[in-house]
Each structure stands twice: as structure tokens, then as C-alpha cells.
Amino acid sequence: MRKFPKPVVVTSKCFEFDACRYNGVMIPNNFVQKLEPFVTFKPVCPEVEIGLGVPRDIIRVVEKNGKKKLVQPTTGKELSNKMYKFAVGFLNSLETVDGFILKSRSPSCGITDTKFFSDSENPSPTGRGSGLFAEKVIERYPGAAIEDEGRLMNFTIREHFLTKLYTLAGFREVKAKNSMKALMDFQSDNKFIFMSYNQREMRALGKIAGNQDKLQIEEVISKYEEHLHKAISKNPRRSSHINTLMHGLGYFSKKLTSKEKAYFLDLLEDYRNHKIPLSAINSVLQSWIIKYDENYLARQTFFAPYPKELVEISDSGKGRAVK
Ligand code: SF4
């Protein structure tokens, strides 16, 4: 049974933690609730932190010539410098962080879909992008698992977010141990995940962990981290998952009956056609891993990338497209 690391996640405080929205309400969020026992949350409300009260008049992002400003139309206050200063100070003060769950569309926390306006009065938005706090999050932690609650309603996006989050938290433990043995074990245990995400980066990571040039461990870990971020940056394609599952099947090819193999290949087709989730096929492979005592596969994080309590295959249909 895999022992999972505990990821550190910064979240918008208005999810489940505080009634700090501009209108004095808190936003219920099932995913945040579900994650609570399995991660260390660091909730933050940037707007309260810069001195805006609750309730407060709305603020908006005004964009001119590519330059963003955070303004409060009713008071005429320009809050950009305060917000940027708070964001940089807060983000630099975090000793550890693996991911962020931020509020969509917020002028402070929105990651990609915050409305931009041409001035503080005009009601028609002229574009969309990141809010001012989120902008600094992306700048300071480009390799972290960063999502908003809207996108996380989509099953595929959620699966990618959780896989990335737990992989990064696992690597943080390797960094803390500062040992080549821990790095080699991490590389070996995550090989199937890397295979399913990015085969080129999987090979690069293997080479770095092999350390044929006998570099100092600090240099090896820093290079490895850079490539790890590249390896798991994008949601893997379904076809890559299928190739990885076929690779897993190869470990049992001499042990299975032709009917068992045919059943597995049928499941793969169902997965290819979006009829079943990855976890359904993984559980079949896992039963063979146990039956045939296949130790190398038993250690592969691919088959249990995050706690099973977080596997939730339902999809609201409201989640937006995969990045
Ligand atoms: S979206 Fe961000 S700034 Fe707005 S209330 Fe929530 S935590 Fe505060």
C-alpha cells in the first residue's frame, strides 16, 4: 500500500475557509472539502490582506496597452501596487508549496478568465486573463499545480491536477532527503507516470538521475527538478496512457490466458472511447500485480497516483477545456 506525501496547497480563502467575498459570503466547494484531510491547506484572501473590508465595493482589472491596473470604481482607488507587493511578499514567505486552487474570474485570484475592462466605468469587458495575485503566483511558481475551481469540475483536469500535485509533493520529500538513493527510487517509482506524460522527458530524467558525470547532488536535483516540471506540465494524451497500460500488460503476457488478454484489450478500447475511466483499467492491472507478486509494478505510482478517496469519476460537464 503506497504511503502518500501530504501536498501543501494554497487556496483562495473564500472556498470553505472564510466568508470573505466582496458580498460577505463563503463559497462551498466539494473538492476543497474532500481534499482537506489529505493536504495541508494555506488559505489566503489577497483582497482582505491589502486592507479591503468585508463586505466591500467591487474591484476590477483595467487593462490599457498591455498594462493591468486593479481599481475600485466607486472610490477611484488604484490598488495594483498594494496587491503586487502583498502577492510577492506572501509567495516569497512560503517555505513549501506544491499547488494552488484559486477562485475563477476574480480580479485578484482568477488564473485565466478574469475579465479586463478598458476603464473603471465601461461595463463591457475587452478581454480576459489572470487577476493580479494569480499573475504573481504563475510568475513565482511556474512548475506548481495551479488550477481554478471551475476547471477542476472536469474529471480529466482534476486527475491531471492531483497526479501533478502528488508527484511534486513526492519530489519535495526527495529534496529534503538530499540523497541520490532517494532520487533513483523516485525516478524508478514514477517511471510509468513519466512514460504516460512525456517519453522524451522520461529519458532525460533517467539520464540525470543516473549521474554519469558525477555531479554534486545539489546540481543533479536542480537539473532534475527543471525537467520534472517540463515532464508533467501538460495533461497526457489518452493514447499515451494506453501505450503505458500496454507496457504494463507486457509484464504479464506469458502468465495470462488469451481470454484475460482479450478482456483487457476490450477495456482499453472502452477507455479510448471515453466509456470508462483510467482507474477502472488500473484496478484490473493491480489485481494481476497482486496475484503475480510483480514488485516493480507494485511500486509504480502510475497505478495509484493519489489517494483512492480522491478518485471521483463524476464530471459536472461544466469544467472547461484541458490546457
Ligand atoms: S476570490 Fe480571492 S480575493 Fe476574492 S474573496 Fe476569494 S480569496 Fe478573497
Side-chain angles (χ1 to χ4, degrees):
M1 184 75 154
R2 183 178 172 200
K3 190 174 175 302
F4 289 96
K6 200 165 192 191
V8 177
V9 180
V10 171
T11 182
S12 293
K13 204 175 194 175
C14 55
F15 292 138
E16 298 288 341
F17 289 95
D18 196 8
C20 56
R21 285 207 84 197
Y22 70 97
N23 54 0
V25 304
M26 185 167 76
I27 305 171
N29 187 284
N30 288 343
F31 183 60
V32 169
Q33 257 181 38
K34 213 168 182 179
L35 265 186
E36 230 270 319
F38 301 99
V39 307
T40 301
F41 272 128
K42 290 189 183 290
V44 62
C45 177
E47 289 175 20
V48 167
E49 292 294 337
I50 63 166
L52 299 175
V54 182
R56 55 186 170 273
D57 291 341
I58 57 155
I59 57 177
R60 56 162 50 176
V61 178
V62 170
E63 192 206 30
K64 267 188 198 151
N65 305 323
K67 201 170 171 342
K68 286 189 270 187
K69 279 184 187 172
L70 194 60
V71 297
Q72 191 169 44
T74 51
T75 60
K77 280 184 190 164
E78 217 265 74
L79 302 156
S80 321
N81 288 344
K82 261 189 172 178
M83 182 57 83
Y84 281 142
K85 197 170 165 209
F86 165 72
V88 171
F90 171 78
L91 295 169
N92 284 341
S93 76
L94 295 171
E95 278 177 23
T96 51
V97 64
D98 304 302
F100 295 79
I101 301 176
L102 299 177
K103 173 77 188 74
S104 61
R105 298 191 286 270
S106 151
S108 308
C109 294
I111 301 167
T112 54
D113 59 359
T114 299
K115 286 179 185 166
F116 294 167
F117 299 86
S118 58
D119 61 54
S120 61
E121 302 304 329
N122 194 330
S124 309
T126 50
R128 283 176 192 265
S130 53
L132 272 68
F133 176 73
E135 179 190 326
K136 292 295 170 195
V137 168
I138 297 162
E139 220 173 272
R140 176 70 176 78
Y141 292 104
I146 306 171
E147 277 300 352
D148 67 48
E149 87 296 355
R151 285 174 46 87
L152 284 170
M153 289 163 89
N154 176 290
F155 171 70
T156 310
I157 295 173
R158 205 162 56 235
E159 192 171 58
H160 168 54
F161 174 80
L162 287 169
T163 302
K164 185 171 178 179
L165 187 68
Y166 276 85
T167 306
L168 292 174
F171 183 66
R172 188 161 46 72
E173 290 187 343
V174 172
K175 283 207 288 185
K177 286 182 187 152
N178 204 34
S179 98
M180 282 308 295
K181 159 96 176 58
L183 184 65
M184 293 293 283
D185 286 348
F186 180 84
Q187 170 66 15
S188 170
D189 295 350
N190 286 285
K191 184 135 184 232
F192 274 47
I193 284 205
F194 300 150
M195 194 186 296
S196 70
Y197 267 80
N198 186 325
Q199 295 213 12
R200 193 162 53 93
E201 287 302 331
M202 174 192 76
R203 285 189 285 275
L205 287 166
K207 215 168 159 194
I208 297 166
N211 195 19
Q212 292 210 328
D213 297 336
K214 305 269 179 281
L215 302 174
Q216 292 292 310
I217 182 148
E218 289 74 15
E219 200 180 334
V220 176
I221 289 207
S222 150
K223 268 188 165 188
Y224 191 94
E225 184 167 32
E226 191 190 312
H227 282 269
L228 175 66
H229 287 167
K230 278 190 204 165
I232 57 174
S233 64
K234 288 201 183 97
N235 198 33
R237 287 194 309 269
R238 203 160 272 259
S239 56
S240 308
H241 271 326
I242 290 171
N243 287 343
T244 307
L245 290 161
M246 286 296 290
H247 188 66
L249 179 68
Y251 280 75
F252 305 105
S253 57
K254 293 200 176 109
K255 296 166 182 158
L256 299 175
T257 65
S258 50
K259 277 187 182 171
E260 283 172 320
K261 281 185 213 164
Y263 174 65
F264 189 79
L265 295 177
D266 274 355
L267 286 180
L268 279 186
E269 267 321 288
D270 285 348
Y271 172 68
R272 191 192 302 278
N273 295 322
H274 299 250
K275 289 184 184 162
I276 57 170
L278 182 63
S279 52
I281 313 181
N282 269 347
S283 63
V284 175
L285 267 180
Q286 261 173 331
S287 69
W288 292 335
I289 290 169
I290 295 165
K291 183 174 174 189
Y292 298 110
D293 210 12
E294 187 50 71
N295 282 329
Y296 174 66
L297 290 193
R299 289 179 58 98
Q300 286 303 318
T301 55
F302 177 81
F303 299 109
Y306 46 85
K308 68 176 180 346
E309 292 85 345
L310 300 175
V311 176
E312 164 67 78
I313 60 164
S314 69
D315 192 319
S316 71
K318 289 182 188 158
R320 280 151 277 143
V322 179
K323 269 192 248 187

